[in-house]
Amino acid sequence: MKTIKIISIFIVCILFLTGCWDKVEIEDRAFVMTIGIDSSKELKNYVVTFQFPNIRMISTGTSGGGGGTGKPSFSISEVADTVFSASRHISTRLNKNLFLGHAKAIILGEDIVTNKNNFLEVVDTLERSYELSRKLHILVTPGRAQDIVLKNYKFDPNLGAYIEDIFKQYNKTSKFPNIDYNKVMKSLHETNGNAIIPKIIAGKDEIRISGSAIIKDYKLVGWLTDGENMGYMWLTGLVKGGDITFNMPLNNKSVKVPFNITNVIMRRDVEEQNGKIIYKIKYDIEGDVTECSFENRAMMFDTKVLNRMESKANLQIQQMINEALNRFQKDLKVDMIGVGDYIEKHDPSLWNKVKPQWSDIFPNIEVKTMVSTHIRRIGLYK
């Protein structure tokens, strides 16, 4: 009995004394924050660019040493046959282990998404990566991703964190959808290769996220303008804020009035009438008039003037919705706005009936929208 006790204590001690078998010291890791993927013009297929912060500079700065020296971030590109092999071959030039678990953004060059085979290969590689977070952001640029990742930006040298912070403010403009990597992959799989992916553009020393890339059958087929993009967001219930500007005719003049959206309630319904599907959307929108240049400021207290403003706002929003509908129903003929998904969840018997021919039925369904805008605040007047 005594021997058994000694052996048991020995085993327990071993369990507590052992460390992680795959432990890597933090100073030996290169924490990738941004990944850019382009096609290569050489014999190899891809150019993959990794950007990671200068940990030594950050650590010495936070420890009271006044900050380290050198660049705040580094970038390195590798040409390889596959995206995966690029991440491996880069170890011949880098004295640290690449770690993708903290990556905040993946930027795809236009040449990747215009080539179906390349895009499918990239999607497959990303999905197989166990390190990548499903909450990171995936974007498309109308150019080369490498040109964006290799730059230093004046607002934040850490591009991945810079992009993530911009996405946190998406509802201030509603000019791009807050769609993350998980939602993009889900859309690609559930719609057989269709998705909307936010667009990123680089300036001289800053970036801009606005508009979207339209992916159909795993291939880029076009871009959404800011107006079409906001129309898409209205149709999919993604507008939570932002602003619109409408023209208010007054005394033979046209006054531009900005309207700041503060609350949106969206209700949907679907029915079949005489064999035709009618998809109904009703919006109740609240917001504030944040600026106007009326010569007679007292006009803002006139209920008739406010009613006319609300009607103008309704027309402006309706126009954006119609532009997006025309794009998806007439040009692309693909359900990017989730009508099929709504029917499947709320009227399964109807979905079972239309599902086999949905791609042919969607361009001909009737979408009825009712927009009701309410001005809640007009600003302070003295």
Side-chain angles (χ1 to χ4, degrees), residues 232-248:
Y232 160 76
M233 294 176 68
W234 281 115
L235 287 165
T236 51
L238 292 173
V239 174
K240 304 299 181 187
D243 64 281
I244 61 170
T245 300
F246 54 84
N247 292 316
M248 183 73 181

Side-chain angles (χ1 to χ4, degrees), residues 45-56:
N45 290 331
Y46 300 101
V47 179
V48 186
T49 306
F50 302 92
Q51 192 227 34
F52 44 92
N54 184 349
I55 295 296
R56 183 173 298 177

Side-chain angles (χ1 to χ4, degrees), residues 336-348:
M336 295 276 193
I337 58 176
V339 180
D341 185 55
Y342 180 83
I343 297 174
E344 184 179 14
K345 290 177 180 174
H346 295 85
D347 195 340

Side-chain angles (χ1 to χ4, degrees), residues 68-263:
T69 59
K71 296 180 179 179
S73 63
F74 299 105
S75 299
I76 186 168
S77 296
E78 181 67 27
V79 182
D81 289 322
T82 66
V83 176
F84 176 78
S85 58
S87 66
R88 294 296 181 183
H89 295 169
I90 211 163
S91 62
T92 62
R93 303 163 55 197
L94 195 66
N95 62 342
K96 299 181 185 300
N97 293 314
L98 282 183
F99 181 70
L100 307 181
H102 293 319
K104 302 295 184 186
I106 296 174
I107 301 171
L108 304 179
E110 185 175 359
D111 47 9
I112 290 291
V113 288
T114 51
N115 185 312
K116 182 176 178 178
N117 291 332
N118 282 359
F119 186 50
L120 280 169
E121 285 183 2
V122 169
V123 168
D124 181 72
T125 302
L126 297 179
E127 286 198 299
R128 290 172 188 270
S129 173
Y130 62 89
E131 284 187 347
L132 287 175
S133 165
R134 266 41 187 171
K135 300 303 292 182
L136 65 81
H137 296 285
I138 184 166
L139 306 104
V140 176
T141 182
R144 291 188 65 76
Q146 188 182 40
D147 295 338
I148 295 179
V149 180
L150 291 179
K151 281 186 179 179
N152 288 320
Y153 298 94
K154 62 181 179 182
F155 296 121
D156 191 337
N158 185 337
L159 179 60
Y162 187 9
I163 291 172
E164 185 179 49
D165 288 343
I166 291 178
F167 268 96
K168 290 177 182 176
Q169 306 182 71
Y170 89 98
N171 60 357
K172 290 186 177 179
T173 63
S174 293
K175 290 195 180 293
F176 58 88
N178 186 19
I179 297 174
D180 58 25
Y181 167 87
N182 192 49
K183 292 177 181 175
V184 170
M185 295 301 168
K186 187 171 181 284
S187 178
L188 287 172
H189 291 307
E190 291 185 350
T191 63
N192 197 25
N194 305 325
I196 296 292
I197 304 178
K199 181 176 73 173
I200 183 171
I201 303 170
K204 184 178 179 182
D205 52 8
E206 61 182 20
I207 57 171
R208 181 168 180 258
I209 301 174
S210 180
S212 297
I214 307 168
I215 306 296
K216 181 181 179 182
D217 191 22
Y218 295 100
K219 186 178 179 182
L220 178 74
V221 292
W223 304 90
L224 289 179
T225 64
D226 287 352
E228 292 172 336
N229 205 52
M230 199 164 180
Y232 160 76
M233 294 176 68
W234 281 115
L235 287 165
T236 51
L238 292 173
V239 174
K240 304 299 181 187
D243 64 281
I244 61 170
T245 300
F246 54 84
N247 292 316
M248 183 73 181
L250 188 73
N251 298 331
N252 299 322
K253 294 181 181 178
S254 181
V255 179
K256 290 189 179 299
V257 180
F259 177 72
N260 181 47
I261 300 163
T262 57
N263 189 39

Side-chain angles (χ1 to χ4, degrees), residues 61 78 108 299 329 341 381-382:
E78 181 67 27
L108 304 179
M299 291 184 68
Q329 281 193 291
D341 185 55
Y381 274 89
K382 290 285 186 181

